[in-house]
Amino acid sequence: QKEVEQDPGPLSVPEGAIVSLNCTYSNSAFQYFMWYRQYSRKGPELLMYTYSSGNKEDGRFTAQVDKSSKYISLFIRDSQPSDSATYLCAMSEGNTPLVFGKGTRLSVIA
Amino acid sequence: EADIYQTPRYLVIGTGKKITLECSQTMGHDKMYWYQQDPGMELHLIHYSYGVNSTEKGDLSSESTVSRIRTEHFPLTLESARPSHTSQYLCASSDVWVEQFFGPGTRLTVL
């Protein structure tokens, strides 16, 4: 079993939809949970990260962590064509290497 | 915007050649990393550095080597390229593990 599981999609939604992206993990020692966005032919960029459980909101993006279920989510409200990208979850115990999911490819259709 | 640069962006080379992928950052970050990314697969850490003269191997076995002589520079070298080395190589830097800034990547094809 991989440490981090992420459905690679692809996921296609109409503009304005609410998007839910998810990852599950097996390592209960993970404390930091990150979401990266990667546009085609570019490097990943950090969208947001959360420490331990709870929610974090940044504009149209909300990250949720449920440590009891070992499940994290990224919600995108009012999705835009410019949100079309691959979204990668990543996790870490702290001062340790990040463990990445495979990424979910999202297309937002105008 | 992150100031981290990778050259070349694309490289097609024959088997057996020695290649060096360049990575530079202007943010003064102590930590630097090299990842390998294949289509539809996870990013795998192949090398990292905590600072000058520090290098460590990541979780993915790699035939490449790295050096860190200057804070801003972290080149990756393959002594003898093989088709199995065909991949995208991403460089990143950070102050702390969790907030890494990535370069645009080098897409390597070995014929």
Side-chain angles (χ1 to χ4, degrees):
Chain A
Q1 181 188 8
K2 287 183 180 293
E3 276 193 293
V4 177
E5 299 276 4
Q6 183 176 13
D7 186 340
L11 183 62
S12 184
V13 301
E15 183 176 357
I18 297 174
V19 177
S20 172
L21 305 169
N22 313 293
C23 289
T24 59
Y25 63 94
S26 57
N27 184 352
S28 57
F30 286 144
Q31 294 286 344
Y32 292 87
F33 304 90
M34 288 134 282
W35 286 97
Y36 283 84
R37 178 176 61 196
Q38 185 174 23
Y39 290 114
S40 181
R41 306 216 179 274
K42 299 279 178 114
E45 58 176 332
L46 180 66
L47 272 177
M48 54 202 306
Y49 78 89
T50 53
Y51 171 72
S52 194
S53 281
N55 296 357
K56 188 172 185 178
E57 190 173 316
D58 184 1
R60 296 184 295 110
F61 298 88
T62 300
Q64 285 186 354
V65 175
D66 182 348
K67 291 191 75 180
S68 62
S69 302
K70 297 190 179 69
Y71 188 89
I72 71 169
S73 301
L74 178 71
F75 296 96
I76 307 174
R77 290 186 300 281
D78 187 25
S79 56
Q80 302 295 310
S82 58
D83 295 328
S84 298
T86 296
Y87 290 80
L88 302 146
C89 63
M91 307 179 189
S92 171
E93 296 178 25
N95 285 325
T96 57
L98 304 187
V99 181
F100 284 86
K102 289 185 177 182
T104 300
R105 199 165 82 222
L106 171 68
S107 294
V108 181
I109 310 300
Chain B
E1 187 173 328
D3 295 322
I4 181 162
Y5 309 98
Q6 291 186 244
T7 57
R9 292 292 314 278
Y10 303 92
L11 180 61
V12 180
I13 202 162
T15 296
K17 300 291 187 184
K18 177 179 179 178
I19 59 171
T20 296
L21 307 184
E22 301 287 350
C23 177
S24 295
Q25 52 99 2
T26 60
M27 295 171 284
H29 288 156
D30 285 329
K31 297 179 181 61
M32 294 190 74
Y33 319 84
W34 276 103
Y35 290 89
Q36 191 169 333
Q37 184 182 34
D38 293 314
M41 300 299 290
E42 304 88 341
L43 270 74
H44 285 290
L45 182 66
I46 49 177
H47 296 284
Y48 60 99
S49 168
Y50 285 114
V52 171
N53 294 325
S54 150
T55 60
E56 304 284 344
K57 287 187 180 292
D59 59 356
L60 183 67
S61 174
S62 174
E63 293 160 348
S64 58
T65 58
V66 292
S67 62
R68 188 89 183 275
I69 299 171
R70 302 197 316 265
T71 298
E72 63 271 21
H73 195 214
F74 192 41
L76 181 144
T77 298
L78 277 165
E79 290 293 333
S80 180
R82 293 208 299 269
S84 60
H85 296 137
T86 295
S87 187
Q88 169 148 276
Y89 293 84
L90 290 162
C91 180
S93 72
S94 70
D95 282 328
V96 293
W97 277 100
V98 298
E99 285 192 86
Q100 295 183 20
F101 296 89
F102 283 83
T106 294
R107 192 172 295 272
L108 173 65
T109 301
V110 184
L111 302 175

